[in-house]
Structures are given as C-alpha cells and as structure tokens.
Amino acid sequence: MEFGAPMLAVSALGAIAVAMALPALKTRLELSLAKHRSLTGHVRMARRIAALIPFYEYDEAHFFRCDDPPEEIAACRRAGFMRLADLYAKRFARTLACTQEVAEDISDLQFTGAYRVPFQFSGLVRRHLRAGAFVVSSSGVTITDLDDNQLYDLTGSYGVNVLGYDVYKDCMERGLERMHALGPVLGAYHPVIGYNVKRLKEISGLDEVSFHMSGTEAVMQAVRLARYHTGRSHLVRFCGAYHGWWGDVAPGIGNPMPAHETYTLAEMSEATLRVVRTRRDIACVLVNPLQGLHPNAGAPADSGLIDSARTAHFNRAAYTDWLKRLRAVCTERNIVLIFDEVFVGFRIAAGGAQEYFGVAADLVTYGKTLGGGLPIGVVCGRKALMKRFRDDRPADVCFARGTFNSHPLVMAAMHEFLERLETPAARALYRDLDATWNRRVEHLNQRLQEEGLPVKVANLSSIWTVCYTQPARYNWMLQYYLRAEGLALSWVGTGRLIFSLNYTDAECEAVADRFVAAARAMQQDGWWWSAPATTNKSIRRRILREIIAHRWSLARDQEKAS
Ligand SMILES: Cc1ncc(COP(=O)(O)O)c(C=O)c1O
C-alpha cells in the first residue's frame, strides 16, 4: 500500500510523457503518410535494398530465354540480335573503335556504358551492341558520327537543344567574336550582361539574377538562399524529381551519404500539403515541372526497364491545379517556392513553367539552353530572397561565389540566345506548341496501334517517354533497333526522347517512319513474345527470386571461403 503514492506519481508522469509525445508522434505519422508508397518515395530504404542486390548476368543461352519462350522464338531473337550486332560493327566501325580507345580512361563513359540496359543483360549487349560516343558535326535536326552516319537527334543534348543546333552554333560563334577583345577576364563584367539581366527579369517576372556554372549549382544556391532567409533547415523535394546531383537534392540511391535535411514527399498529394502546412522546419519546396509527365516516378531510363510497368501521362489541368494549391500553402507558411526550370525553362513556353502553368515562384532556376550552347546555371528571385548579407549583422552572410560565374563567353552566348528568342522565327516556334507536339505524338501512337505494336509514347510538349503496353522483358532492345534506323538516343534510351522545336512536320514524320520500322523489326524478331499468363508482377516476382538465389549462393560461397 505504501507504494500507492509513488505508483500514482509514476503513472501520472507516464501519462504526461505520453501526452507530451503525442504531437511529435502525430507530426511523425503525418510525415510518413506524405511519403509516396513506392521505393522511390522511401529513399533510405531504397539505398539499403539497392546495397543488397548482387550482380549476376544471364549467360548467352539464357539471355534469349529468360521468359521461357518456345525454341523458335529464342532462335529468332538470337538471329535478330546477331544481325544487329553485325550491322553495328559495320555501320559504326570507326565510331566504335574510337570509343573503345578512350572508354577505359573516361569514368563517365564506363558508367553510361554499364547502365544502358538492365544489368542481367548488360554483358552480352556491351560485347555486341556497343554504343559509339563520338560525333563530329550537327546540322538541322541531325548529328553525324565518325562513320558519316547522319542520325536524327532525339537526345536533345540533355535538353540543351531547344531551338536547333544551328542556332547555338551561331550563338557560340558570335559570342566568341564579341568577346575576342576581352578574352577570359573574370571578376569584372562585359557590358553584354546588362541585357541578359534585363531579359531574365522580364522572363522570370522576378527582381534579381545570379549567374552560376551549372543547373546543379543554381539549385544549390537557391536552396541555400531559402535556408538563409527563413532560418529553417529542411528542403522538400518530390518523389522521383531530379534537381542535379548535389547531395541534399539527390538523397537515396546514387548518394553515398544520407541527406538529413531533405524531405522527399509525394507529389500531387493532400498528405504532402498537410505536412508543408504544419511543419516549422521547411525552408523551401522544390518543383521540377517535368515531373508533371510522370509524377512521383524517377527519370525513366532503360536500365530500369525490367518489365513494362513504366507509365507516363501528362495532365496539364491537374498539374496546374496542384501547383496552384502548393503555391497557396507556401505563401501561407512563408515557405520559399522554387521552380527548377533548368530542363523545362524556354522549352514548354518562352516564359517557362511559370507562364505555362500560370503560377509564380519565389525563386526560379534556369540552365541548359540559356547558355546559348555553353555551360550555365541561373537563379532569378525576389529581391528580399536574393540578398546574400544582412544590413544589421554584417558577419552573417550567405556565401556564393565561383571562379567562372558570369564568364564573358557564356554571357555573350546567352546574350545571343536571348536576342534570338525575340525574333519572329523563334516566337513562331512557341506558337501552338502543345497542340503541335500532341498532334505529332497522337499520330505516331495511331500508327503504332494500327500495326499492333505494343509501344505507346507519352509527352510533355517536346519531351517524350516511350511506354510499353504489354508485359515483356526485352523492351530495352528497342533503343538498339531505333539506332539501327538512324535515330540517336541518349544513354537513358527510350526513357526520354527530346526534340528540338525546329523539327518540322516532315522531319517528325521521317522519325515516325523509322520508329515504326524499328518497332516492327523488333516484333518480328520475337522480343515481344510473352506467355499468356505473364504480368508485370509475375516478371518482377521472378527477378526477385533470381536475386534471392544469387544472394544466397554468394553468402554460401563467402561462408565456405572463411
Ligand atoms: C530540373 C533539373 N535541375 C537541375 C539539373 C542539373 O543541371 P546540370 O546538369 O547543368 O548541373 C538538371 C539536369 O538535368 C535538371 O534537369
């Protein structure tokens, strides 16, 4: 009985502790609910799981039979593969030889070479269907390799090529002429910068501009400014969105360190709005409007094309509505809304995503095409957010410099580019932009459907993603058939095709002809055969079993060796 009072006190203390912990638990739960349910939405878990996946590859016999096809289908695939290998060896001989000479010495080339297709297939593909890394010229909408093959360019140079390569060649050449007298003098500005700043302010509708060397750096600076001015620590990025390779905006797979001050939340989600509205540590929300094409999914690359689950569909009205609601919550909570327009700026509208969606951001980052063919990153922002020092606390600064910021040659090429944007010819490119590109995509899709080919293209304006309409293991082969038809793709293969706006209807039709021919050849070679009961889920389950078996045998080997 004498323990009664202390017991009561302990219980009361316990109740108080629980009551005190409840709000924290509630906020934690809300945060969990705002994560996208996919692995992409759970970056730490994704990293842990990725570390468990062992390397294994299919031997030559299994390579063509991983979905248990009839023998004649496997033979057909093999014949198609070897025919392509022969064609590549002959048609791209010099380009491949040159690539091979440097491949061992260029780390980037080794990486992109290894990640063109799912790793189980990578060995044989790399031995027989090597991708050449060299080109020597560009003209119109084509590029030419060392073997004099002229290919339609669907790489878009990672999105830099908006107006057509000839425009950038001109910008670079005239920029060089203009800067001939000044050369590489840094720190001081050449007068061309005045026009650039004036135009960027007009285009962004914002007060100030800062120049950087890449999109990654522009994003770093935008986030740093948001943290500096709000005094808060965390940035919100959306599941799957790419903002360059700086650690804080690229948590999870690909980043050796965890990003402790980043929330990766689901896009187009009520739960996310709740978190943004209630948490007190959020400095900024980063939006990459390209995600409108595939909300909450990572950049589609063929190395991840293990089945046909890739989906994409751009719903302009729904995404606009989302951005408007996000804008309202950020305004309400004094959170800095950053539009990362490094990719879509100047591509989806002359005034970029802000104009396209009718939503104003507090900070906007630009890059890629804005450099007129040269490396660039730009931040535009409201005056109060762009300031890097405090009048009342002189030692409290937000430092951001960079040797090559505002390089005269880049400023001059940018000047040319921005002038070009004002010409009637450039303005005409933006007229009916969506209607033009949607019509082209619909036309191609109709042709694919009429021929019974299991391929469908989704687009956000001139940015296309190829999707596959029936469960299959070999969709990634399409990139090699496309190349054989004279279409140049970047290392992510059919995940992203980027067109420059100067593509004419006739040129798009030529691309469509080749696209359909490639898909037809691939179908004839048996790659899209699948057993009637196959589903994307059954494919993934089978791959999971393979992974577990390899992990198991790895563990057994290690045990024996120790
Ligand atoms: C939306 C976005 N932000 C940032 C970056 C990084 O730009 P950069 O490659 O110039 O560093 C990219 C690059 O693709 C991008 O698409």
Side-chain angles (χ1 to χ4, degrees):
M1 288 299 279
E2 58 265 39
F3 291 113
M7 279 295 278
L8 264 179
V10 169
S11 309
L13 277 177
I16 291 168
V18 169
M20 282 173 66
L22 271 180
L25 279 174
K26 182 172 169 277
T27 346
R28 187 72 198 82
L29 183 68
E30 278 177 353
L31 189 60
S32 293
L33 291 174
K35 290 184 190 236
H36 192 255
R37 62 185 185 287
S38 65
L39 210 50
T40 317
H42 291 77
V43 290
R44 275 185 215 165
M45 201 190 299
R47 216 155 60 94
R48 271 185 228 126
I49 291 177
L52 293 175
I53 299 175
F55 177 75
Y56 66 97
E57 61 182 332
Y58 299 145
D59 62 24
E60 200 163 327
H62 199 56
F63 184 98
F64 302 102
R65 292 181 180 78
C66 74
D67 51 354
D68 305 324
E71 260 323 292
E72 67 270 19
I73 294 288
C76 196
R77 288 173 178 172
R78 179 190 284 276
F81 187 86
M82 292 308 171
R83 194 186 63 244
L84 272 186
D86 196 41
L87 182 146
Y88 272 48
K90 287 190 184 120
R91 191 181 292 170
F92 304 118
R94 283 195 53 197
T95 309
L96 291 178
C98 219
T99 306
Q100 229 168 333
E101 257 173 49
V102 297
E104 283 304 304
D105 304 325
I106 301 181
S107 324
D108 202 43
L109 213 48
Q110 287 168 40
F111 181 81
T112 53
Y115 286 90
R116 277 172 197 271
V117 304
F119 66 83
Q120 295 93 337
F121 300 97
S122 166
L124 200 68
V125 169
R126 274 196 283 170
R127 280 197 294 284
H128 293 283
L129 297 176
R130 274 186 232 106
F134 285 84
V135 282
V136 285
S137 65
S138 64
S139 172
V141 294
T142 62
I143 50 177
T144 301
D145 69 9
L146 295 184
D147 299 276
D148 227 17
N149 296 303
Q150 208 176 33
L151 307 153
Y152 282 102
D153 182 65
L154 309 183
T155 73
S157 286
Y158 298 123
V160 166
N161 187 15
V162 173
L163 299 181
Y165 286 125
D166 295 321
V167 168
Y168 300 91
K169 283 197 249 178
D170 210 35
C171 291
M172 289 162 74
E173 199 177 308
R174 293 168 67 130
L176 196 58
E177 272 168 27
R178 217 192 258 262
M179 286 304 142
H180 191 74
L182 181 62
V185 178
L186 301 167
Y189 294 133
H190 185 278
V192 290
I193 206 168
Y195 171 78
N196 295 353
V197 170
K198 172 178 160 292
R199 288 292 295 127
L200 284 167
K201 282 173 59 180
E202 285 164 3
I203 290 164
S204 66
L206 291 159
D207 313 318
E208 276 188 30
V209 178
S210 71
F211 295 104
H212 306 274
M213 286 167 284
S214 67
T216 298
E217 272 195 27
V219 170
M220 282 167 78
Q221 169 64 353
V223 173
R224 177 176 277 197
L225 284 168
R227 286 174 165 160
Y228 177 66
H229 287 290
T230 59
R232 302 178 207 139
S233 53
H234 280 64
L235 70 92
V236 168
R237 68 179 275 269
F238 293 120
C239 174
Y242 185 67
H243 295 285
W245 60 279
W246 169 47
D248 281 20
V249 295
I253 297 173
N255 182 352
M257 296 300 286
H260 291 297
E261 271 130 6
T262 300
Y263 294 131
T264 297
L265 304 183
E267 190 155 21
M268 303 182 84
S269 143
E270 289 306 319
T272 288
L273 289 183
R274 198 170 311 122
V275 166
V276 176
R277 190 177 282 121
T278 49
R279 286 195 85 94
R280 299 219 182 107
D281 54 356
I282 297 174
C284 58
V285 175
L286 263 171
V287 173
N288 176 356
L290 176 57
Q291 289 299 108
L293 180 56
H294 41 68
N296 294 304
D302 283 2
S303 59
L305 206 50
I306 57 170
D307 56 15
S308 301
R310 179 192 283 167
T311 54
H313 171 69
F314 176 53
N315 181 335
R316 183 172 177 176
Y319 200 68
T320 303
D321 181 57
W322 159 250
L323 292 180
K324 287 193 167 151
R325 291 195 307 139
L326 187 62
R327 170 70 275 180
V329 176
C330 287
T331 305
E332 183 188 317
R333 301 295 302 171
N334 236 349
I335 291 169
V336 180
L337 180 63
I338 305 172
F339 271 14
D340 179 0
E341 298 205 27
V342 168
F343 200 116
V344 298
F346 306 98
R347 176 172 285 278
I348 56 178
Q354 292 193 101
E355 177 189 311
Y356 185 85
F357 293 106
V359 178
D362 301 310
L363 294 174
V364 179
T365 55
Y366 299 107
K368 294 196 192 267
T369 195
L370 177 58
L374 296 178
I376 189 65
V378 163
V379 182
C380 294
R382 290 199 284 109
K383 198 158 208 54
L385 287 173
M386 295 293 281
K387 189 158 177 159
R388 300 181 191 175
F389 57 93
R390 303 192 202 283
D391 293 330
D392 55 343
R393 275 174 282 153
D396 183 5
V397 297
C398 180
F399 190 75
R401 304 289 301 146
T403 304
F404 289 108
N405 291 354
S406 314
H407 189 290
L409 191 50
V410 178
M411 288 302 119
M414 182 191 291
H415 187 281
E416 297 296 328
F417 172 79
L418 289 168
E419 269 188 349
R420 284 301 183 108
L421 277 188
E422 295 197 84
T423 61
R427 290 227 178 105
L429 289 177
Y430 290 99
R431 211 168 296 134
D432 299 327
L433 196 60
D434 267 16
T436 302
W437 288 97
N438 291 346
R439 173 171 49 75
R440 289 168 175 176
V441 167
E442 271 165 35
H443 176 63
L444 173 59
N445 280 337
Q446 197 180 341
R447 289 185 61 181
L448 290 164
Q449 199 183 7
E450 278 165 10
E451 295 221 17
L453 296 162
V455 186
K456 194 170 184 241
V457 169
N459 71 305
L460 192 171
S461 211
S462 53
I463 307 162
W464 297 16
T465 289
V466 180
C467 300
Y468 299 88
T469 58
Q470 72 187 37
R473 295 274 330 246
Y474 295 96
N475 294 320
W476 46 267
M477 271 300 291
L478 183 59
Q479 62 174 289
Y480 296 99
Y481 283 88
L482 290 171
R483 191 168 176 83
E485 289 294 332
L487 304 180
L489 271 54
S490 79
W491 70 280
V492 299
T494 62
R496 187 156 289 160
L497 314 182
I498 306 167
F499 289 77
S500 46
L501 305 189
N502 62 327
Y503 260 92
T504 61
D505 278 343
E507 285 157 346
C508 271
E509 189 60 10
V511 168
D513 289 343
R514 288 156 190 252
F515 196 108
V516 172
R520 203 187 292 134
M522 176 151 161
Q523 189 178 50
Q524 279 161 6
D525 286 340
W527 299 101
W528 279 314
W529 174 92
S530 70
T534 309
T535 60
N536 289 325
K537 211 171 182 180
S538 72
I539 292 175
R540 283 201 296 277
R541 226 181 282 133
R542 183 170 179 157
I543 294 172
L544 185 64
R545 279 201 300 274
E546 288 174 4
I547 287 174
I548 292 170
H550 278 90
R551 181 104 210 128
W552 184 249
S553 74
L554 207 68
R556 254 197 342 237
D557 291 350
Q558 278 167 353
E559 205 173 287
K560 266 191 223 154
S562 64

